[in-house]
Amino acid sequence: MRTVKSAEERKEEILDVAEQLFAEKGFDNASTNDIINKIGIARGTLYHHFSSKEEILDAIVERMMSRSIAGAKAVIKDTRIPLTDRIVGAFLALNMDSGAGAGAEVLEQIHKPQNALLHQKTQERLLGEVVPLIGELIEEGNRSGMFHSQYPLEAAEMIIVYSNTAFDGSEELTPEQKMAKIKAFIYHTEKILGAEEKSLEGAIMKIITGR
Amino acid sequence: MRTVKSAEERKEEILDVAEQLFAEKGFDNASTNDIINKIGIARGTLYHHFSSKEEILDAIVERMMSRSIAGAKAVIKDTRIPLTDRIVGAFLALNMDSGAGAGAEVLEQIHKPQNALLHQKTQERLLGEVVPLIGELIEEGNRSGMFHSQYPLEAAEMIIVYSNTAFDGSEELTPEQKMAKIKAFIYHTEKILGAEEKSLEGAIMKIITGR
DNA sequence: ATTTCAACCGACAGGTTGTCGGTAGTGCGA
DNA sequence: TCGCACTACCGACAACCTGTCGGTTGAAAT
């Protein structure tokens, strides 16, 4: 039996299944056969839509990142919101990933041991697109006297790189440990930005505890 | 013709060749056939000494890291050296990797695009072993009034994670750009540690410009 | 109804990892 | 000096994986 779908629809279907399989078994251990069997399509069909397995991975990263980057941008550009809230909000948008309710359990596993490649590609995208955005935000904070950062871009890079890798394997941490780690991260972020102590922590609490 | 070597000797030989091939072509693209052909041994011989390709990678990481960690430890424990110099020295020992003159050109390529897995495994080792060491050093600095770090361990983690990933693809940077990036990193490190400005930069210059 | 085109199929080539029964040096005790 | 045991070594082989390619079929346009 042969089912025909529009290219776009089929591509999304492939990405959905591949994303789940890569997260479950890792990029290397999940085979293209796994993908096509789960969907019920032939080998040729997969390669009609994507020219290689790696291209599928790239498309997944692209999809994930463009979603969360769009979310972050929306927050960043909303000048009605106070600056600290915009920075914090942007981070939340990025680290929550997904944005949509795609499936948190999948994304919990996605940054990790076997998925080194995916993590790498994600970070490239972050460095290229998000760092400049955050950098501008920091400069804005400099102008308003809230921050005192001598190297806004590099500060942004340091914060983003760390937050993207440090909280990877944090499933095995107890909630208290995780909380402590986040607190330390915020503290150091304030130092890096030359911000007043607790200034960011306050914004986070405000957002988390329902505005 | 059949050449017999001691297990230890053969293992080292395999690791040497594999390390070079992985660096050149990446872990995935370098095949076990490449390794055995280059050495001139049979398939079974390779798997007599290592039970999988990944185990070879692990052994390479183990070898590299134990070398550079040993170097870093030596510097850290040498209490005759001033504290800042010990911290900086430990970092140099780690980032120069190798320690021995193993072959700089190989190591320049080793942290990178295709070698995501290796990078990952390296970082795990860094987090597990080096962070506590640096953490202690920071505490010592706190006691001597040189640093004012509220979270020594987390500070160490942030510094190490960043330095291990940020300077990865920095071949494509001009020397000036690279220097600027390093300078910013030092600056931020001082902020994170609550150290006086230029205190670390001074130590680095002292070491680099021949003591 | 016919043409055209894109989605789809599945056999196949070429390459990869890991296994396994067997072989041959090497060192040690008799 | 002979024999025995141990271990490094060998290479054919199974199982799997990715990417290709000529051919097929459904659907939309003419």
Side-chain angles (χ1 to χ4, degrees), chain B residues 34-72:
Chain B
D34 292 339
I35 298 172
I36 64 181
N37 289 336
K38 190 154 185 177
I39 300 181
I41 56 176
R43 200 147 188 72
T45 305
L46 183 74
Y47 281 89
H48 174 70
H49 292 288
F50 297 95
S51 66
S52 74
K53 191 184 171 187
E54 180 151 4
E55 196 179 288
I56 296 176
L57 183 66
D58 288 342
I60 289 174
V61 172
E62 170 62 33
R63 202 175 63 165
M64 285 189 358
M65 294 308 291
S66 64
R67 278 178 191 163
S68 51
I69 288 177

Side-chain angles (χ1 to χ4, degrees), chain A residues 65 192 194:
Chain A
M65 294 308 291
I192 288 173

Side-chain angles (χ1 to χ4, degrees), chain A residues 63-121:
Chain A
R63 200 175 64 165
M64 284 189 359
M65 294 308 291
S66 65
R67 278 178 191 164
S68 50
I69 287 178
K73 271 187 182 164
V75 178
I76 287 174
K77 300 207 165 165
D78 189 345
T79 49
R80 295 170 308 181
I81 307 173
L83 185 61
T84 48
D85 291 21
R86 281 193 281 152
I87 288 194
V88 172
F91 263 80
L92 291 181
L94 289 173
N95 284 1
M96 294 301 96
D97 283 275
S98 76
E105 66 289 346
V106 172
L107 288 156
E108 271 171 30
Q109 300 207 346
I110 219 157
H111 290 294
K112 272 194 338 181
Q114 30 199 207
N115 293 43
L117 229 197
L118 191 148
H119 181 270
Q120 239 256 10
K121 286 176 183 288

Side-chain angles (χ1 to χ4, degrees), chain A residues 2 31-33 43-44 47 52-53:
Chain A
R2 163 183 269 197
S31 73
T32 51
N33 283 324
R43 206 153 181 67
Y47 281 89
S52 73
K53 190 184 173 187

Side-chain angles (χ1 to χ4, degrees), chain B residues 117 189 196:
Chain B
L117 228 196
T189 300
E196 205 170 326

Side-chain angles (χ1 to χ4, degrees), chain B residues 6-174:
Chain B
S6 75
E8 196 187 0
E9 200 176 351
R10 187 64 89 191
K11 274 191 174 180
E12 286 296 312
E13 188 180 9
I14 292 171
L15 292 183
D16 289 339
V17 171
E19 181 172 325
Q20 191 186 340
L21 285 172
F22 290 170
E24 272 172 19
K25 314 169 71 171
F27 179 72
D28 291 324
N29 298 338
S31 72
T32 50
N33 282 325
D34 292 339
I35 298 172
I36 64 181
N37 289 336
K38 190 154 185 177
I39 300 181
I41 56 176
R43 200 147 188 72
T45 305
L46 183 74
Y47 281 89
H48 174 70
H49 292 288
F50 297 95
S51 66
S52 74
K53 191 184 171 187
E54 180 151 4
E55 196 179 288
I56 296 176
L57 183 66
D58 288 342
I60 289 174
V61 172
E62 170 62 33
R63 202 175 63 165
M64 285 189 358
M65 294 308 291
S66 64
R67 278 178 191 163
S68 51
I69 288 177
K73 271 188 184 165
V75 177
I76 288 174
K77 301 208 165 164
D78 188 344
T79 49
R80 296 168 309 179
I81 305 173
L83 185 59
T84 49
D85 291 19
R86 280 193 280 153
I87 289 193
V88 172
F91 262 79
L92 291 181
L94 290 173
N95 285 2
M96 294 299 97
D97 283 275
S98 77
E105 68 289 346
V106 172
L107 288 156
E108 270 171 31
Q109 300 205 347
I110 218 156
H111 289 295
K112 274 195 336 181
Q114 29 200 205
N115 293 44
L117 228 196
L118 191 148
H119 182 269
Q120 239 257 9
K121 287 178 182 286
T122 303
Q123 192 153 85
E124 274 173 28
R125 204 86 154 62
L126 281 174
L127 287 175
E129 292 202 41
V130 178
V131 164
L133 288 177
I134 302 285
E136 279 181 44
L137 229 45
I138 295 175
E139 279 177 12
E140 193 179 323
N142 275 345
R143 271 179 255 119
S144 79
M146 177 173 296
F147 300 151
H148 305 81
S149 171
Q150 205 162 327
Y151 307 94
L153 230 54
E154 287 81 359
E157 187 175 299
M158 193 160 185
I159 295 165
I160 285 171
V161 164
Y162 180 74
S163 72
N164 189 46
T165 69
F167 300 107
D168 269 9
S170 34
E171 287 87 59
E172 61 221 21
L173 265 53
T174 67

